[in-house]
Amino acid sequence: QDDYKDLKVKLTDIRILLRDITIVDIHLANGDYTNYEAATLYTKILNEKLDVQIPKVKSMNLEDEQASIQKELESILSYDLALYLQNITKGLQSGNTATVQTALAYREKALQTYQIIETDIKNIAESLRIKDEEFYEWTLNSAVLKEDETAILKTTGGNQIEQ
């Protein structure tokens, strides 16, 4: 049960990272941020939020059954999200579209890894008979809008589109 609580905290931290990254993504896509402004914000997220979480995840002391989830948490932070932030920043600064495309592939991988982690942690809750449905109703779109109601992706005609 203690492991479950620790994992929930780490999952919440990752949710916040995904939310903050997505807010920058949306404002960049809408033209609200210049490439330089977005690159600066991505670098700040990488240095001040993501890099701080990696040692915390590596130092978790979990039961053997949860070791795979710890590896997934390390992977989403150290690889998927870190490489997204590094590549998107480099691509925006250099104007290299191939680097941006590489970054977007890492972002997609991060979202897939997140789903796996959430499912694995939810399975632990169910096996422990913990009623925590509300925690798993979280969606990235609602979290983004709750944090920044102006973060709505627009089409070229200025209309909203669903994320």
Side-chain angles (χ1 to χ4, degrees), residues 66-148:
Q66 281 79 40
S68 64
I69 300 174
Q70 185 173 2
K71 292 282 182 228
E72 292 165 359
L73 290 165
E74 286 180 37
S75 175
I76 195 172
L77 293 169
S78 299
Y79 300 103
D80 307 340
L81 290 175
L83 290 170
Y84 171 68
L85 291 168
Q86 290 165 357
N87 280 285
I88 195 71
T89 299
K90 194 181 335 173
L92 290 171
Q93 290 170 338
S94 69
N96 186 327
T97 55
T99 306
V100 172
Q101 290 305 314
T102 299
L104 295 175
Y106 282 114
R107 185 182 194 287
E108 198 55 42
K109 172 101 173 45
L111 294 172
Q112 292 167 359
T113 304
Y114 169 81
Q115 290 299 327
I116 293 166
I117 294 167
E118 184 183 66
T119 299
D120 289 349
I121 295 174
K122 187 176 183 181
N123 289 340
I124 292 171
E126 290 170 2
S127 72
L128 294 172
R129 292 186 171 79
I130 295 172
K131 298 281 183 224
D132 216 358
E133 293 82 11
E134 193 176 299
F135 182 74
Y136 298 101
E137 291 172 1
W138 182 90
T139 65
L140 182 56
N141 186 43
S142 62
V144 164
L145 290 174
K146 187 175 181 183
E147 183 68 17
D148 179 354

